Amino acid sequence: HVQLVESGGGSVQAGGSLTLSCKVSGDDFGRLSMAWFRQAPGKEREGVAVRLSDGGTKYADNVKGRFTISKDNIKNTLYLQMNDLKPEDTGTYYCAADEKQWLRLVPTEYRDWGPGTQVTVS
């Protein structure tokens, strides 16, 4: 298991940008599949982006072209660069990790989760 801690959330105006970070500790970061999810009030948790250990990525349709998932294996950190933010991007953003190498954005496929960081777009 790994420990995950997100940071970088905040309030931003529509059209703005934010970069979220997820610090990972406790396991071999380089071999994990890492993902970002988000949850808006009253809604189910939805997948945003996933990055496999071999660099493969998948994005939700509603963030393609605006968000970029990346990782720094030296810093053991996952990132989510978010550009052209929209009010519908508002929510709590979570990073998640698992050993399985599947390009899937299904919450139940991920074993370890961070506590989340809030993003508000107005």
Side-chain angles (χ1 to χ4, degrees):
H1 289 265
V2 294
Q3 292 75 49
L4 311 173
V5 179
E6 304 92 340
S7 62
S11 297
V12 64
Q13 291 187 337
S17 299
L18 281 175
T19 299
L20 305 183
S21 300
C22 175
K23 180 70 173 178
V24 181
S25 60
D27 205 338
D28 186 355
F29 178 66
R31 66 181 180 86
L32 296 173
S33 173
M34 301 290 303
W36 287 98
F37 290 81
R38 67 187 181 189
Q39 189 166 17
K43 294 187 176 181
E44 293 186 354
R45 191 167 297 189
E46 65 171 352
V48 175
V50 56
R51 191 184 190 283
L52 305 184
S53 61
D54 66 359
T57 58
K58 178 179 179 178
Y59 294 89
D61 288 342
N62 54 9
V63 306
K64 281 181 183 177
R66 300 188 298 122
F67 290 12
T68 303
I69 188 171
S70 62
K71 61 190 293 191
D72 185 327
N73 286 339
I74 295 177
K75 295 182 178 180
N76 278 18
T77 302
L78 179 75
Y79 301 99
L80 184 69
Q81 173 68 44
M82 306 186 293
N83 298 324
D84 190 24
L85 283 161
K86 306 175 186 296
E88 51 264 42
D89 294 319
T90 293
T92 301
Y93 282 69
Y94 302 89
C95 67
D98 201 275
E99 296 178 353
K100 297 189 298 294
Q101 299 297 315
W102 296 349
L103 281 172
R104 298 177 68 172
L105 290 170
V106 178
T108 53
E109 297 289 347
Y110 292 84
R111 180 187 65 190
D112 300 314
W113 291 81
T117 186
Q118 177 68 33
V119 172
T120 302
V121 185
S122 59

